[in-house]
């Protein structure tokens, strides 16, 4: 049957130009978008077959297939999912054309100028938007599709300019065309010429395709095949109950997402359901990365939406003082921009961040109660970073303070006291040891424990049997000024003459040094007032 040529709206070509050259920052994203669309189609077929037992569809081997042809300069992305009818093609592929109004064009133009594509979240996940990213790498795109249970098929073709062609294929025509799938969709990209020096963007290269799939689509739940090879792992461990995953699998996944070689010290898995859904799998490392304190160190977690990779190092999900935490967050629905590349700040994102932060802090606090050896390992590696939260996170300051540990005059480093308490003390443990008559928490700041222990400021407190916290990290001088008390007990510096030991102690000191002060007053009468 002859195809019907339809004309885009007058400004659609300009809209495509904005999409291709401004919204997407990486050409490789086109393959992520096409694979994501195929995965959605496979999910829809599985659901349709479950709901309609009479649906004539093959669900025995649902998969996505990549077929590169270097000689013809084409790449085909094929799935055996739900497929589309002619009406679906016009409606879904035409989303961009139907949305190609002056309003959407204005938004994308503003996005180009502001480098923030703030189009509405409703566009995300609609087939048309991701599909048109194909024109970043292709001069022409051909789509052939057959809806599951139907006999005829539909072909769509366009060069991304003024027109597109839609052709209805009868059952006989579809049967005679090797490109028409029994069910599902095949998209063939007629690729643009590639500079001989630009091998990273040769999408007929099997190695390039492997790298893109592993980066963006490794955890898609359906196999992505290249010939006889399955490219993706499909091991989205965060979707499985913790009881079904071994420690070895978690350790392997941790090394995969963190690019580290150590073992995870602790694994945190959580799931939220309700008004919005997300899953997270987080890891606290055993050893710190060498560049954790460098200015260029990247903070954040990997972000996925429905198992599709969106970005590395999403710092909107985790604060800087928890930058040692590695892992992934997989959300079912987030307000992304039209290219899915930049998150827009919204209520969902804020709530996810809040829950992740509280969960990490409570996990660290729990380690101190349940596994002191693990906690000590954590604190040795990340304690000074964790205490940055006392400066930066007013909302969780009390929880961070309660989960923190400090050296003390009552505990010797490297030793364990009789009750099993380690050489570092929490503030709660300090308070539990306070003798009768002490109502304040005393601390001293300095460069080292040796320096502080030799300070005369500690003598009077030692004589009274009062314990002193020894704060020797650089961050301690900063946060302590903003934390006036803990559990109703004032934090008082002994190094700045702030400690009030009571009238008796003061009188004892005056009496003890009376002969010396009298002699000094006489000798230095011309130089000092008192």
């Amino acid at each position: 049957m002859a195809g019907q040529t339809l004309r885009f709206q007058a400004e659609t070509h300009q809209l495509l130009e904005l999409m291709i050259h401004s919204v997407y920052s990486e050409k490789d994203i086109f393959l992520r978008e096409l694979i994501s669309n195929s995965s959605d189609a496979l999910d829809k077929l599985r659901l349709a077959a479950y709901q309609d037992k009479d649906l004539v569809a093959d669900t025995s081997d649902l998969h996505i297939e990549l077929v590169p042809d270097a000689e013809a300069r084409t790449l085909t992305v094929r799935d055996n999912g739900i497929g589309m009818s002619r009406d679906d093609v016009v409606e879904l592929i035409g989303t961009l054309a139907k949305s190609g109004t002056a309003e959407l064009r204005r938004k994308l133009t503003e996005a180009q100028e502001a480098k923030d594509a703030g189009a509405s979240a409703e566009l995300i996940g609609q087939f048309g938007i991701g599909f048109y990213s194909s024109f970043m790498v292709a001069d022409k795109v051909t789509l052939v599709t057959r809806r599951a249970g139907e006999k005829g098929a539909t072909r769509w073709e366009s060069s991304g300019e003024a027109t597109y062609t839609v052709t209805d294929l009868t059952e006989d025509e579809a049967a005679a065309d090797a490109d028409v799938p029994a069910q599902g969709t095949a998209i063939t990209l007629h690729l643009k010429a590639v500079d001989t020096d630009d091998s990273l963007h040769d999408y007929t290269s099997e190695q390039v395709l492997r790298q893109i799939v592993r980066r963006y689509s490794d955890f898609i739940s359906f196999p992505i095949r290249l010939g006889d090879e399955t490219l993706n792992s499909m091991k989205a461990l965060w979707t499985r109950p913790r009881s079904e995953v071994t420690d070895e699998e978690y350790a392997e996944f941790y090394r995969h997402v963190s690019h580290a070689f150590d073992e995870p010290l602790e694994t945190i898995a959580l799931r939220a359901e309700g008004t919005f859904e997300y899953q997270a799998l987080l890891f606290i490392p055993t050893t710190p990365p060498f560049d954790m304190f460098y200015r260029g160190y990247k903070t954040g977690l990997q972000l996925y939406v429905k198992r599709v990779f969106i970005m590395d190092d999403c710092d909107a999900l985790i604060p800087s003082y928890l930058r040692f935490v590695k892992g992934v967050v997989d959300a079912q629905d987030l307000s992304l921009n039209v290219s899915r590349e930049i998150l827009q700040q919204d209520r969902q994102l804020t709530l996810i961040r809040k829950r992740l932060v509280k969960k990490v802090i409570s996990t660290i606090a729990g380690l101190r109660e349940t596994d002191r050896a693990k906690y000590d390992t954590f604190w040795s590696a990340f304690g000074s970073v964790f205490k940055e939260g006392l400066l930066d996170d007013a909302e969780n300051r009390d929880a961070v303070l309660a989960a923190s540990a400090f050296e003390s005059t009552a505990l010797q480093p490297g030793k364990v006291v009789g009750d099993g308490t380690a050489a570092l003390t929490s503030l709660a443990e300090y308070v539990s040891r306070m003798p009768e008559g002490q109502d304040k928490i005393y601390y001293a700041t300095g460069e080292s424990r040796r320096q502080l222990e030799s300070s005369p400021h500690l003598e009077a407190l030692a004589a009274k049997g009062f314990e002193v916290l020894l704060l020797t990290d650089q961050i301690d001088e900063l946060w302590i000024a903003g934390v006036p008390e803990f559990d109703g007990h004032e934090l008082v510096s002994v190094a700045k003459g702030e400690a009030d030991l009571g009238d008796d102690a003061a009188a004892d000191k005056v009496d003890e040094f009376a002969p010396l002060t009298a002699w000094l007053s006489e000798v230095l009468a011309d130089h000092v007032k008192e």
Side-chain angles (χ1 to χ4, degrees):
M1 178 180 290
Q4 180 183 10
T5 299
L6 304 176
R7 181 170 293 275
F8 288 124
Q9 294 181 10
E11 63 185 1
T12 299
H13 179 57
Q14 294 174 311
L15 196 58
L16 280 170
E17 289 292 314
L18 286 170
M19 282 278 298
I20 293 169
H21 298 298
S22 303
V23 178
Y24 289 90
S25 63
E26 296 184 30
K27 292 181 179 180
D28 295 350
I29 287 174
F30 85 91
L31 188 55
R32 178 191 73 181
E33 294 296 313
L34 295 183
I35 289 174
S36 178
N37 292 334
S38 291
S39 177
D40 289 344
L42 294 168
D43 274 326
K44 289 176 182 177
L45 177 62
R46 190 158 54 183
L47 178 61
Y50 176 78
Q51 294 174 333
D52 182 2
K53 302 301 182 184
D54 296 327
L55 179 66
V56 180
D58 182 5
T59 60
S60 61
D61 182 26
L62 299 180
H63 65 276
I64 302 164
E65 185 179 5
L66 306 182
V67 185
D69 186 332
E71 183 176 348
R73 293 291 305 154
T74 62
L75 171 65
T76 299
V77 180
R78 180 182 293 125
D79 67 70
N80 57 347
I82 190 69
M84 291 180 284
S85 65
R86 185 187 194 281
D87 290 342
D88 292 335
V89 170
V90 173
E91 180 180 354
L92 296 177
I93 302 298
T95 296
L96 183 61
K98 294 196 301 183
S99 302
T101 62
E103 174 65 14
L104 181 55
R105 184 169 180 269
R106 180 186 63 79
K107 288 181 179 180
L108 291 178
T109 302
E110 290 175 354
Q112 179 183 16
E113 296 173 351
K115 297 183 179 179
D116 179 17
S120 65
E122 285 75 19
L123 291 175
I124 296 304
Q126 292 188 24
F127 192 79
I129 292 299
F131 171 77
Y132 273 94
S133 66
S134 303
F135 288 102
M136 290 189 297
V137 300
D139 292 319
K140 184 175 71 172
V141 176
T142 302
L143 176 148
V144 183
T145 184
R146 174 155 36 189
R147 188 169 182 84
E150 295 187 359
K151 297 179 179 179
T154 303
R155 176 183 287 109
W156 180 100
E157 192 168 85
S158 177
S159 59
E161 295 180 351
T163 63
Y164 60 93
T165 302
V166 179
T167 305
D168 295 326
L169 302 177
T170 65
E171 180 181 1
D172 291 339
E173 289 172 330
D177 191 334
D179 293 332
V180 177
Q183 66 190 36
T185 302
I187 300 172
T188 299
L189 282 62
H190 301 264
L191 298 168
K192 297 177 181 179
V194 177
D195 191 300
T196 54
D197 296 329
D198 189 18
S199 59
L200 294 178
H201 294 102
D202 181 2
Y203 301 111
T204 64
S205 166
E206 294 187 356
Q207 183 58 31
V208 170
L209 297 177
R210 288 188 188 96
Q211 291 174 350
I212 297 174
V213 169
R214 287 170 184 168
R215 173 171 172 77
Y216 290 107
S217 308
D218 194 44
F219 304 119
I220 292 290
S221 55
F222 301 99
I224 303 169
R225 295 172 183 163
L226 180 62
D228 295 329
E229 178 184 3
T230 297
L231 302 183
N232 58 322
S233 69
M234 296 179 285
K235 293 182 178 179
L237 296 189
W238 60 83
T239 65
R240 295 163 54 187
R242 187 160 186 170
S243 60
E244 296 179 3
V245 184
T246 66
D247 291 341
E248 290 75 16
E249 287 177 306
Y250 276 136
E252 180 184 358
F253 185 77
Y254 158 72
R255 287 189 286 268
H256 173 73
V257 299
S258 68
H259 308 293
F261 299 97
D262 60 332
E263 296 287 321
L265 184 70
E266 188 68 8
T267 300
I268 305 170
L270 51 85
R271 176 192 300 264
E273 298 177 345
T275 55
F276 66 96
E277 298 181 6
Y278 66 89
Q279 298 163 305
L281 182 58
L282 311 180
F283 301 94
I284 298 176
T286 301
T287 58
F290 73 93
D291 57 346
M292 187 169 62
F293 290 99
Y294 287 12
R295 182 181 297 273
Y297 184 77
K298 293 183 178 180
T299 300
L301 306 173
Q302 290 188 359
L303 175 66
Y304 288 75
V305 173
K306 297 180 181 178
R307 296 193 183 193
V308 177
F309 176 80
I310 302 300
M311 67 174 69
D312 267 322
D313 307 314
C314 181
D315 56 7
L317 290 171
I318 206 80
S320 176
Y321 73 92
L322 298 180
R323 59 185 177 271
F324 51 84
V325 176
K326 301 299 180 183
V328 302
V329 173
D330 186 2
Q332 292 300 304
D333 184 22
L334 274 180
S335 295
L336 308 178
N337 68 17
V338 73
S339 68
R340 309 191 190 193
E341 291 185 278
I342 304 171
L343 284 169
Q344 299 181 53
Q345 295 292 334
D346 65 5
R347 179 175 175 272
Q348 290 186 8
L349 185 62
T350 300
L351 291 176
I352 292 175
R353 177 187 172 108
K354 284 185 176 181
R355 186 177 179 196
L356 294 181
V357 169
K358 291 184 183 298
K359 182 65 175 179
V360 171
I361 295 174
S362 65
T363 298
I364 292 169
L367 283 179
R368 183 162 183 83
E369 300 298 323
T370 61
D371 195 330
R372 186 62 63 88
K374 272 190 178 182
Y375 178 86
D376 288 346
T377 298
F378 161 79
W379 195 257
S380 176
F382 305 109
S384 60
V385 177
F386 184 66
K387 285 187 289 185
E388 292 175 11
L390 298 171
L391 279 173
D392 301 336
D393 191 351
E395 180 180 349
N396 294 292
R397 181 173 295 154
D398 290 344
V400 172
L401 189 61
S404 297
F406 311 93
E407 289 192 64
S408 162
T409 55
L411 302 174
Q412 293 301 312
K415 295 184 179 180
V416 177
V417 297
D419 63 355
T421 304
L424 298 173
T425 183
S426 68
L427 292 186
E429 291 166 344
Y430 177 104
V431 170
S432 71
R433 293 192 296 268
M434 287 168 50
E436 185 176 352
Q438 180 183 353
D439 63 354
K440 298 177 181 178
I441 297 173
Y442 297 104
Y443 69 87
T445 58
E447 295 181 358
S448 67
R449 182 185 182 105
R450 180 186 295 264
Q451 178 201 54
L452 293 177
E453 287 181 330
S454 64
S455 170
H457 295 294
L458 301 187
E459 292 182 9
L461 289 159
K464 296 280 290 185
F466 290 174
E467 183 178 351
V468 179
L469 299 177
L470 305 177
L471 310 181
T472 58
D473 286 330
Q474 291 182 352
I475 192 70
D476 292 330
E477 287 277 9
L478 301 176
W479 70 260
I480 196 68
V483 181
E485 59 89 26
F486 172 80
D487 196 24
H489 299 279
E490 182 184 1
L491 273 70
V492 176
S493 171
V494 301
K496 298 179 180 178
E498 298 172 1
D500 179 8
L501 301 181
D503 293 338
D504 292 341
D508 291 344
K509 289 298 179 184
V510 170
D511 292 342
E512 180 179 351
F513 292 104
L516 175 61
T517 55
W519 177 76
L520 287 173
S521 297
E522 181 179 348
V523 172
L524 302 175
D526 295 336
H527 303 284
V528 298
K529 183 176 180 180
E530 182 177 352

